[in-house]
Amino acid sequence: MEAVIAVFALLFVLLFGLGAYATVKAVGAAKRGVDRGITQARRTVEDHTLRAKSFAQPGAAGELAQLRLKLRTSMRATQDALHAAVAEDGSLKESVGLFERLSAHGHELDEELKRLESEPDRAALTERLPGLRERTERITHSAESLRWAARDRARRFADDDLDSLSAQIDLESGALRHWTAPEPHPASSAQSSSARQQPASSAKPASARQQVSPSQSAPPPWPEAPAADAATAGQTWPDTAQSSAAQEPARPAITPPAARPTYPWQKKPRPESTT
């Protein structure tokens, strides 16, 4: 009895532990999903804000917003392209590592541009704009190089696969059309025409031989049919029909009514009254 209670207690502890683990995992996944949604919403709001500032604010503030928007757009596109390509091509892991190092510089530049948006000294900000523009161009150029290299690599693999597939399809199409006969060559056609002329020339002497000796080549006649017997010779189908009709006695067209027998238990018929 104690062993059964111990087993049930152990099962209860195991089930409780599994339930707690599943609950923790579900809460963590939900929290990550909420954080991801909040991050995505914040990023969308920031992008729209930067786009509005780049059009609305003139001067250095508007140019800072344009640089931030350009940097964020390029880095995000490269990140999405590399993460999508590395799932199919494992050799891009090194490229992903290089992009992570480049992302560190990009985040640093983005933070610096964000701080300079609230800089009150517009003259100092204008002096620093060329250096900030150059750094942004270098980072975005490196990110675009990685992105386009990954896309070109994927397209090259797709083209090679398509060429191989086209060759295999052409080979299979040729195998499926195995009934088509090849075109005859001129030499074979000449040989066939000469072969047709030889039987024609050999047939002429045979006809000549037949004209010279017709009695030898004529086949023997067929034997005549045997004479019919005298009894069967005079018998024909119409005569037999007439003789059978003559032998049968003539029957009247209408059979006269026969007298019905009367029985003692039958009643006598009453005479019909004329009144």
Side-chain angles (χ1 to χ4, degrees):
M1 189 64 183
E2 295 178 356
V4 174
I5 295 174
V7 170
F8 276 106
L10 182 59
L11 290 176
F12 177 76
V13 171
L14 288 177
L15 292 176
F16 181 77
L18 289 176
Y21 177 75
T23 304
V24 171
K25 295 293 288 183
V27 170
K31 184 179 180 181
R32 286 192 299 270
V34 171
D35 294 341
R36 192 181 303 112
I38 292 174
T39 305
Q40 183 69 25
R42 185 185 299 113
R43 185 183 304 164
T44 305
V45 171
E46 289 180 356
D47 290 344
H48 285 291
T49 304
L50 290 175
R51 189 173 289 107
K53 286 182 178 180
S54 62
F55 287 108
Q57 295 180 357
E63 190 170 355
L64 286 176
Q66 291 178 2
L67 292 178
R68 285 193 66 192
L69 184 61
K70 180 180 179 181
L71 177 65
R72 292 163 66 93
T73 304
S74 178
M75 297 297 288
R76 190 181 302 117
T78 305
Q79 179 181 358
D80 295 341
L82 289 178
H83 287 174
V86 76
E88 301 177 357
D89 189 2
S91 60
L92 292 176
K93 292 182 179 179
E94 186 176 357
S95 302
V96 173
L98 293 175
F99 176 73
E100 290 177 355
R101 293 173 57 185
L102 183 65
S103 296
H105 293 278
H107 285 298
E108 181 181 355
L109 178 60
D110 185 63
E111 293 294 333
E112 185 176 357
L113 292 173
K114 187 176 181 180
R115 287 193 304 268
L116 291 175
E117 285 180 355
S118 57
E119 178 66 33
D121 192 358
R122 298 300 177 183
L125 182 59
T126 306
E127 292 178 359
R128 296 188 61 180
L129 272 178
L132 295 173
R133 191 183 301 113
E134 183 182 358
R135 286 178 61 188
T136 305
E137 289 292 337
R138 290 177 60 184
I139 292 175
T140 54
H141 177 71
S142 300
E144 290 173 358
S145 298
L146 283 175
R147 182 172 70 251
W148 284 108
R151 289 177 178 174
D152 293 342
R153 181 182 179 86
R155 187 176 67 251
R156 179 62 180 175
F157 285 163
D159 292 342
D160 293 343
D161 189 17
L162 181 60
D163 294 340
S164 176
L165 181 61
S166 300
Q168 293 178 5
I169 290 176
D170 293 341
L171 184 62
E172 182 67 17
S173 301
L176 291 176
R177 295 190 183 94
H178 64 279
W179 66 83
T180 22
E183 296 181 357
H185 298 284
S188 61
S189 60
Q191 291 178 2
S192 60
S193 61
S194 62
R196 286 194 299 270
Q197 291 176 2
Q198 288 179 1
S201 60
S202 61
K204 292 181 180 180
S207 61
R209 287 194 299 270
Q210 290 178 2
Q211 292 177 3
V212 172
S213 58
S215 61
Q216 296 178 359
S217 61
W222 291 97
E224 296 180 359
D229 298 338
T232 58
Q235 184 178 1
T236 55
W237 289 106
D239 296 341
T240 44
Q242 293 177 2
S243 60
S244 61
Q247 292 177 2
E248 294 180 356
R251 291 183 295 180
I254 299 176
T255 306
R260 297 181 180 180
T262 57
Y263 299 97
W265 59 81
Q266 291 182 349
K267 295 182 180 180
K268 295 181 180 181
R270 296 179 180 179
E272 296 179 358
S273 60
T274 57
T275 59

